[in-house]
Amino acid sequence: MAFDARDFQNARRAEYNKGKGTKKLVWVLLAIIVAFIAVALMSIVINYIEIKEIGAQYVSSFFTNIKVRIIAQMVSFLIVFIVFTINNFVLRRILIKENADLWYISKIVPMVLLTFVISLVASSFISDNVYSRFLSFANATSFNRVDPVFFQDIGYYIFIRPFMESLIDSIKVILIIQTVYTALIYLFLNMRNGIENFGDVLKNKRIVTHNIVNVLLVFISIAMSFKYNAEEILYGNFGELSGAGYT
């Protein structure tokens, strides 16, 4: 009976520590989210004050930029959040059976908050990369002149191509981060059972399939950039010739 009572107490203590760890992580993640939003708001206010000092006539342009940036961040946040949520729930479903003792795997709330933080940071990166070029993209105009190689209007290279290239590059970076992040979690959680079980990662078909899907998504994003890589010929230097002049 004494042995059973000790086991029961140990189980209760482990459950208590698990709940305590979950609460700590939740509070840390919430603090990161609040700090991130506070810094973003402070940055907007400081930029507004600077623009107003330069001239009141520029304030409307400032708010147009802010509006586009917020929309870009909201859309990118939603896309990244959905992608990472699907990825994390697939990861959790595969790992939960053998790692139920880990509170950051067994509990849904920490995983959702972690996905929220990742999405917030990633969407900020995408927004910074894309929003200014989106304004040019949205107001694209034709020059009625085409290049001698791809026969694209010059306006395409000035207004459209920079936005599309930055958008695809952002998608590529996010997918690479997701792929590396997922692979490292699988490796880490398999290694905790001992290095001799390292080969189990490749024996588990679901783990292999999940990683293959992520790698395929990365390759698809790379393939999407081939068109723009080919167009780099128009920007290169060949001895004394620039761009496509050598043709």
Side-chain angles (χ1 to χ4, degrees), residues 5 23 30 37 43 61 81 97 103 113 119-120 122 124 145 165 186 190 200 215 221 229 232:
K23 288 180 180 178
L30 285 174
I37 294 173
S43 176
S61 298
F81 185 79
K97 185 177 180 180
W103 50 268
L113 281 176
S119 303
L120 204 59
S124 179
R145 293 186 64 184
E165 193 174 23
Y186 280 130
N190 276 271
D200 291 345
V215 171
S221 68
N229 291 340
E232 288 292 332

Side-chain angles (χ1 to χ4, degrees), residues 230-247:
E231 292 168 353
E232 288 292 332
I233 195 174
L234 300 176
Y235 299 85
N237 294 316
F238 304 88
E240 296 181 357
L241 300 175
S242 297
Y246 76 98
T247 59

Side-chain angles (χ1 to χ4, degrees), residues 16-179:
Y16 172 77
N17 290 334
K18 185 189 294 186
K20 196 173 180 181
T22 302
K23 288 180 180 178
K24 282 183 179 179
L25 180 63
V26 168
W27 281 112
V28 168
L29 292 175
L30 285 174
I32 292 173
I33 292 170
V34 171
F36 190 91
I37 294 173
V39 169
L41 290 175
M42 285 176 60
S43 176
I44 291 173
V45 171
I46 292 171
N47 288 336
Y48 170 75
I49 293 172
E50 290 178 350
I51 293 294
K52 197 172 181 181
E53 288 179 352
I54 293 172
Q57 66 270 27
Y58 300 111
V59 171
S60 60
S61 298
F62 169 78
F63 281 116
T64 299
N65 286 336
I66 291 297
K67 180 181 176 182
V68 172
R69 187 168 185 171
I70 290 173
I71 292 173
Q73 181 148 2
M74 288 176 64
V75 172
S76 57
F77 171 84
L78 188 61
I79 293 172
V80 174
F81 185 79
I82 291 172
V83 170
F84 268 84
T85 297
I86 293 172
N87 181 76
N88 285 342
F89 273 94
V90 170
L91 191 149
R92 180 178 182 272
R93 187 173 180 181
I94 293 173
L95 293 175
I96 188 69
K97 185 177 180 180
E98 297 177 355
N99 299 277
D101 58 313
L102 298 176
W103 50 268
Y104 49 84
I105 294 293
S106 59
K107 301 289 185 179
I108 293 178
V109 173
M111 183 169 286
V112 172
L113 281 176
L114 180 60
T115 304
F116 191 94
V117 171
I118 293 172
S119 303
L120 204 59
V121 174
S123 63
S124 179
F125 162 76
I126 295 173
S127 176
D128 289 343
N129 235 12
V130 169
Y131 93 96
S132 60
R133 296 175 181 179
F134 174 78
L135 291 173
S136 298
F137 171 81
N139 296 282
T141 185
S142 174
F143 282 66
N144 295 318
R145 293 186 64 184
V146 298
D147 72 87
V149 179
F150 300 102
F151 306 105
Q152 294 272 16
D153 189 273
I154 302 302
Y156 161 79
Y157 295 101
I158 296 175
F159 302 112
I160 299 174
R161 185 180 182 276
F163 169 74
M164 296 302 298
E165 193 174 23
S166 63
L167 182 63
I168 292 173
D169 285 345
S170 298
I171 293 171
K172 192 192 308 178
V173 170
I174 297 303
L175 290 175
I176 289 173
I177 291 172
Q178 175 180 270
T179 301

